[in-house]
Amino acid sequence: TAIANGSFENSLTGWSLENFHTQLSFATFAPNEAIDGNQFAKLLPTNNHPGWARISTPITAQAVPGNIVHASAWVRVAASSDTQIILLLRGLNSARTAEVGNSNTSITATNNWKEISLSFEIPDNAQWSQLGRLELEIVAPNLGHKQPEIQVDNVQVDVGDY
């Protein structure tokens, strides 16, 4: 896979959190509770502030126009609540100061594990020719103080000519 630590075993290394009203941690559970291994990431709303939460990781494989990027993650919420989750692939310029394009998909997560996935062919055009880095983001756009924690596991990314 073209990302670091997609199963969140023992750490959150390689992942960053955007939103100071959300806590990112990992949890250890009994076998068969996580999708891959015994741990997964948790996004937990804090401070009674509604908003959004986003975790991201760089894609380590070099991508060029014509490559296809396959990304997937398993998500669920910790209680009986439907929560929108977005899987977002972002292309950034070499300086990482501007987005050159993106692709995304969303699902409604429930208290059962669900897979979210997308495939995207990097276009061969002037905009994407400025690509310097790809990032994968998992976004909860409407995470409020009454929402349960969001759990993420077994994140995978592959880049290549398929």
Side-chain angles (χ1 to χ4, degrees):
T1 187
I3 60 169
N5 196 22
S7 65
F8 305 100
E9 296 301 309
N10 301 315
S11 77
L12 299 167
T13 300
W15 291 85
S16 60
L17 170 70
E18 293 181 42
N19 183 348
F20 63 93
H21 298 300
T22 306
Q23 177 182 15
L24 176 64
S25 62
F26 68 95
T28 302
F29 285 89
N32 302 322
E33 191 64 24
I35 294 294
D36 182 17
N38 292 327
Q39 297 178 319
F40 50 79
K42 299 189 309 182
L43 290 109
L44 183 62
T46 60
N47 300 331
N48 294 327
H49 292 281
W52 52 268
R54 171 176 32 215
I55 58 173
S56 64
T57 189
I59 295 174
T60 57
Q62 180 64 33
V64 296
N67 282 157
I68 298 174
V69 181
H70 296 287
S72 65
W74 288 82
V75 296
R76 71 176 177 181
V77 291
S80 296
S81 173
D82 294 344
T83 303
Q84 183 186 20
I85 304 293
I86 300 169
L87 188 65
L88 174 65
L89 176 69
R90 292 180 68 213
L92 302 174
N93 65 3
S94 296
R96 298 183 195 151
T97 57
E99 182 177 289
V100 298
N102 71 65
S103 180
N104 68 77
T105 188
S106 67
I107 64 168
T108 300
T110 64
N111 61 345
N112 294 311
W113 286 108
K114 282 184 164 180
E115 185 177 23
I116 181 172
S117 64
L118 68 80
S119 290
F120 176 71
E121 183 174 352
I122 298 174
D124 189 2
N125 61 33
Q127 180 178 337
W128 278 88
S129 69
Q130 301 173 37
L131 178 65
R133 171 176 161 159
L134 284 171
E135 288 187 350
L136 182 70
E137 299 181 356
I138 299 168
V139 183
N142 300 309
L143 195 61
H145 65 277
K146 294 183 181 179
Q147 294 285 349
E149 73 183 31
I150 294 169
Q151 301 169 349
V152 180
D153 199 14
N154 198 27
V155 182
Q156 297 185 15
V157 175
D158 293 303
V159 178
D161 299 320
Y162 297 98

